[in-house]
Amino acid sequence: MLGRVEGAATRVVEIKQRPAAGGYSYTLPLKAKGLRAKQLADGSVLFSDGKNRKRAVMPAPVMWDAAVDERSGEHLNRARVAMNVVQTKGGVDLVITPDAKFLADPATRYPVTVDPSASSLSNVFDTYVQQGETVDLSTDTELDFGNPGATNADGTPRTAQSFISWNSSPIADALVSSAKLSLWNFHSGNTDCTARSWEVWSSPAASTSSRWTNRPTMTAKKATSTETRGNPSCTTAPDGWINADVTTLALEWASAKATRGHMGLRATLESVIAQWKRVNSANAASNPPKLVVNYNYRPRTGTDQQAGPPFFKDSGGTWFVNTTTPTLQDTFVDPNNDKVDGTFQIFDNATGTQVGDVLVSPFVASGQPAAVKVPSGQLTNGETYKFRTSPYDGQHYNTGWSAYAYFTVDTGAPSAPSAVTSTDYPTNAWVKGVGRNGDFTVTLPSGDQNGIEWSLDGAVWERSRPAAPPR
């Protein structure tokens, strides 16, 4: 699965192959503390607060297949997606059900992308600062950057720079494969209709107090783009999206586990009027800034190492196995719900020497035990070993190992109990009588027994474990 951040808080699901008959659905949880969710007639979701004030609207979800129109470059084979909204404590569950007919249609080209767009829920702040302006511009419907060619009363150019802050928490500690910034460019200074350069920089956060004289100092250039649109005289490049590859910047946010990612926008040469650009801000009625990030999480370290049969662990935490070809298993969770396999590495506990090659399990569903069987000829009866694990989700490895789990090979059968006594039913004496309960004490021999099996008059065998280790 690929996650995506658009307008800072979108998760798309990519269906890589046609599902089996019977349909397909999944649930996406959203945190929306203090908000009520109401689904509207058009499929969108209205979020309002305790005073019934509108806080956000999430558009109705859509889906599209892999076919791309040659002229427009858009995915034209699209369909609506059913969505059920379930209010939960502190949030909302979105139950997504893609159209079964669309998925089953032979004309549908896979993979199919399902997009419940939650971009309007993101806490995005943007503003621009302009030399000569002394007011807050964060409420404007546009962002400007470059030199418009005008001057202030003192003769200084009215150069502008823009700043955007994104909610980057969805990609914290993720593995980012690509990130694209898209801005709706409705005016440019390129009267010659040639593409003009602009840049994306890393930057501290801007605020409503930011002005040209105290603007955040951009720290490092992360992307350069020449995409340009919007000059009225350029009929071949009308208003539209301009894009920049900001993968490097998104990688930095993910690596830092940042909850907010900040960027600055500027012209490459602020003295060149042709590089002037005006784009929509988050306050615009349509086409706000978009940040699309493709990412994946590494599978988590295993949490339940076991060895068996009989999968018995003593009070010291050591497993006992009754065969020299035991099964080792661990349970791994993948945040993207991808299938995972497990790599198992075994060592002789006394010498620290690795035993055989690493063993790799088949792929299993996230959260299910992944298991391997140790080949014959590698383990010795009576010896203690330790093993550790590491998962892989088909795209990324976990970068570490689990803690060691220990097991002892014991193929010998235990000795019989040394004594069975009862004060209720003593040997060679009168007893309580038919149908009366009685207590029996079984004395185990020294060794590694972990319980007894018993049967009364040949009935069903039952199992009991001692109240204390045998002495």
Side-chain angles (χ1 to χ4, degrees), residues 146-170:
N147 184 343
T151 58
N152 296 301
D154 61 1
T156 56
R158 290 180 58 78
T159 307
Q161 295 178 354
S162 292
F163 301 89
I164 308 178
S165 294
W166 304 92
N167 174 15
S168 56
S169 55

Side-chain angles (χ1 to χ4, degrees), residues 259-278:
T259 59
R260 291 291 183 270
H262 312 290
M263 62 172 57
L265 308 175
R266 53 164 293 166
T268 299
L269 296 174
E270 293 183 327
S271 61
V272 177
I273 297 173
Q275 294 183 8
W276 167 252
K277 287 181 174 61
R278 299 167 66 194

Side-chain angles (χ1 to χ4, degrees), residues 83-169:
M83 180 171 66
N84 186 32
V85 179
V86 180
Q87 193 84 39
T88 62
K89 185 178 180 180
V92 174
D93 281 350
L94 305 180
V95 182
I96 311 296
T97 306
D99 185 86
K101 292 183 179 179
F102 183 89
L103 297 178
D105 190 338
T108 298
R109 292 178 56 185
Y110 282 79
V112 168
T113 301
V114 183
D115 184 5
S117 178
S119 59
S120 58
L121 293 180
S122 60
N123 185 14
V124 177
F125 175 83
D126 59 24
T127 190
Y128 70 99
V129 295
Q130 190 164 25
Q131 192 166 7
E133 292 290 342
T134 59
V135 297
D136 173 32
L137 300 174
S138 65
T139 59
D140 276 15
T141 58
E142 64 181 79
L143 299 173
D144 300 347
F145 49 95
N147 184 343
T151 58
N152 296 301
D154 61 1
T156 56
R158 290 180 58 78
T159 307
Q161 295 178 354
S162 292
F163 301 89
I164 308 178
S165 294
W166 304 92
N167 174 15
S168 56
S169 55

Side-chain angles (χ1 to χ4, degrees), residues 39-82:
Q39 192 160 22
L40 304 180
D42 64 354
S44 63
V45 180
L46 171 65
F47 290 84
S48 56
D49 61 19
K51 295 183 179 180
N52 207 34
R53 293 176 299 188
K54 172 183 172 181
R55 306 301 296 181
V57 175
M58 188 180 73
V62 295
M63 60 193 293
W64 58 86
D65 73 355
V68 178
D69 180 69
E70 184 175 352
R71 172 173 293 182
S72 67
E74 297 180 320
H75 295 275
L76 299 182
N77 190 19
R78 306 166 73 90
R80 296 290 295 272
V81 178

Side-chain angles (χ1 to χ4, degrees), residues 358-415:
V358 295
L359 304 175
V360 180
S361 76
F363 279 93
V364 297
S366 172
Q368 296 299 311
V372 296
K373 187 172 183 178
V374 181
S376 61
Q378 295 189 358
L379 305 181
T380 302
N381 182 41
E383 296 293 329
T384 298
Y385 300 88
K386 60 183 180 181
F387 73 94
R388 59 183 184 177
T389 65
S390 185
Y392 172 63
D393 68 1
Q395 298 185 62
H396 300 103
Y397 290 93
N398 183 296
T399 55
W401 291 94
S402 70
Y404 284 107
Y406 297 82
F407 68 95
T408 297
V409 179
D410 181 5
T411 61
S415 302

